[in-house]
Amino acid sequence: MLFTDKERFKAAFTDKIVDQLGKPLEEASGADVFNILGNMVREQAGRNWAETNRRYRQGQEKQVYYFSMEFLIGRLLGNNLLNMGDLEVVRDGLEELGFRLDDIEEEEPDPGLGNGGLGRLAACFMDSLASLGYAGHGCGIRYKYGLFEQKIVDGYQVELPDYWLQKGNVWEVRREDKSVDVKFWGRVETDVDSSGELVFEHKDYETVRAVPYDIPIIGADERHVNTLRNWSAESVMQPSKAFGMRAGSDYHKFLEYKRSVESISEFLYPDDSRYEGKLLRLKQQYFMCSAGLQSILRTFDKLGLPYTALPDKVALHINDTHPTLVIPELMRLLMDEKKMGWDQAWDIVTRMVSYTNHTILSEALEKWPVPMVRELLPRVFQIIEEINARYCAELLRRYPGDEGRLADMAIIYGDQVRMANLAIVGSHSVNGVAALHTEILRKREMRLFDEMFPDRFNNKTNGITHRRWLLHANPQLKDLIDDTIGTRWKTHPQELIGLIKYCEDASFQEKIGEVKRANKLRLAQYIESRHGVKVNPDSIFDVQVKRLHAYKRQLLNILHIMHLYNQIKAAPSMDIVPRTFIFGAKAAPSYHLAKRIIKLINTVAHTVNNDKDVNGKLQIFFLENYSVSLAEKIIPAADVSEQISTASKEASGTGNMKFMMNGALTIGTMDGANVEMHEMLGNENMFLFGLSAEQVLDYYQHGGYYARDIYNGDGRVKEVLDQLMNPGAFCCDGQDFGQIFHSLLDNNDEFFVLKDFASYVETHVEIDRAYRNRPEWLKKSIINIAHSGKFSSDSTISRYASEIWNIRPVEL
Ligand SMILES: *Cc1c(COP(=O)(O)O)cnc(C)c1O
């Protein structure tokens, strides 16, 4: 705790304002208050941070490093105050000084250093590691520009650069003294040293300086403070050093070098499934891996232990394949710099590295052109070649003459380096992120690998931190739960199950209903302030927020809304519970179909929201710039959570868990972690529809699906699809949606939107029916909240810790 009581906080805070800003409190702006408060919190955390590090070093505790190209951490002020136990005192104190903490939190830039679920998972894991007392740290990139800021202009997505550092970052500490050098390009010379050993020397390289910016990750006990270390790429100031042997004092050349170096940590790639700008992307990956490993080895060196002890003291985890280069890079460091032999180095590396697979979408499986890797990273490429040669030899020993298997499983094949294959071969653990996803990996996508390495594959279902997604995002619900079952659930989220006892208690149901209504009113005000339209808080808030992607099927949602609208137009007296459909989604800038779908949603919204016949029965809002801070506003207000991906395509989902924890009921397919939700909730407390993963995969394999048959056979489908092509029903934009129409019919509807349409429509009718029975609905909502503790990332992290990393919490 930073402050023992409110009066002390007020006095200390007022002094700081005067001392640091040279102005009286009355003149302080919201931004001033944020900065001063942030600095006070950081300073306090600093003491615990130093102590945590001292303790880790002294106890020689095993450290986990979580390598991820994305950390979507969200705003930190509120969560830091929460974890430090200062939230109430600060809120009340500021109130008396004339400031609202909620407004002050809005002053903080929301760092968009991630695309979506994968980056947010990394952030939830950081919070759980520190909160459970594990020595676990993050390793990432300090992008100067995060994911683009999205504006909606005339219904179209417009991307603006997100310069989140403009006003500085109170949380980070630049650690110049911990900088390391990363080398690119050049060539490798082979020589024999005095003892007859082969030595490899990297010549004519270009040097990039990696400077770490550390962010303290404050655990829920406030005392454990771990580190998120993000690397920034900078030029080396002496040109002779920068270019190695290619020395030259040509100033132009130096400026060119400086620009190209700084571009490495300039932008986060805004595409979460395909990668453009390949060379820069590869540079980013190697930059992060090499800088991270060098700094980890430096820390390890201080322990004074032999390198054979590395796997007992350090675990390296790679979040998807983006950091796979840790495998050959650590081989390089151990062999070339620490003079270790191949076999011993390989044993150490594979015992240290573990890998999480996040997708089976084939367009997202990373592959690099061989010439690119060879030229950019000549020594690392040699090592990858050697790993591949030894592994392919072993494959042929096990499966003599099986060239087909070799073609599927090789790391280098044709002209490509396949990162997933390298990650599997070079690690001791490969995990999927939900039971169904892991099953599909083992039985289908990676079947041959599972056969070759049967103990390597395991499942770790994703999770979310209940501290951010419940305690912080939904304080009224937190208070109500505290009043009902006590407070132990905050440290033992599984104990939320205690709420089950109250699911039929009429007075508790009413209280749950009141909390939801208060959250809906708050969101309604937010929407009104943005869209200038009044929102009916008694309507069903039906929400789909997530990245825009064909497989996530926002298209199915909007086609269903078009159908509802058609029904109302045909029979304006139709009896339905009023619905407010809420969307939030960013589309990758080059993903044209996704951007068309955004335009379609906005076009339909415009028509429906302005049609008098609709008479309040339907409202549709697309909230721009979906991000962590917006998610925290939207999710607590949702009645219905749309988790409608094509079965087999969503590896886990974590949005689904956030909604469940906040009492929304899910309409979903049997996909990702929805399957595990359903296992606990049963059919009564969740609305399932659509094809199963098995059916979808069988269609892909054997064919037999004809989208046009559905178009011809189902009048509702024909009507909405024809409306995509004909101006009229939806204003004058009709022709714009030809691309969507063609993707469904000419390209035979790759994601089974039309196939699942009928079942989706029926299930929404069921939701309408269920909502009318308020006690029953609230009961379902309570049952959802009660079971959501299973999805706390605290449980997920405990399992990673004991089953993959072999670490235990460190007592402080
Ligand atoms: C949780 C979260 C996601 C992931 O949502 P899914 O529904 O699992 O795809 C994406 N973006 C943000 C900002 C999130 O908070």
Side-chain angles (χ1 to χ4, degrees), residues 418-434:
R418 300 152 158 182
M419 302 311 267
N421 295 10
L422 178 55
I424 298 168
V425 172
S427 63
H428 64 87
S429 164
V430 179
N431 72 280
V433 290

Side-chain angles (χ1 to χ4, degrees), residues 72 115-117 120 469 545-547 552 626-628 631 643 650 653-656 658:
L72 197 51
N115 276 300
R120 184 53 231 173
W469 296 110
V545 286
K546 49 183 73 242
R547 282 299 288 258
K552 290 178 183 278
Y626 183 57
S627 55
V628 175
Q643 307 300 335
E650 187 74 88
T654 48
N656 46 4
K658 299 168 197 166

Side-chain angles (χ1 to χ4, degrees), residues 72 110 114-118 120-121 124 272 462 464 468-469 545-547 551-552 626-632 635 642-643 650 652-659:
L72 197 51
D110 182 352
N115 276 300
L118 173 147
R120 184 53 231 173
L121 182 76
C124 284
D272 56 358
N462 281 169
I464 55 167
R468 180 176 292 267
W469 296 110
V545 286
K546 49 183 73 242
R547 282 299 288 258
Y551 84 80
K552 290 178 183 278
Y626 183 57
S627 55
V628 175
S629 43
L630 188 53
E632 289 176 59
I635 292 171
E642 298 271 350
Q643 307 300 335
E650 187 74 88
S652 164
T654 48
N656 46 4
M657 301 167 185
K658 299 168 197 166
F659 282 98

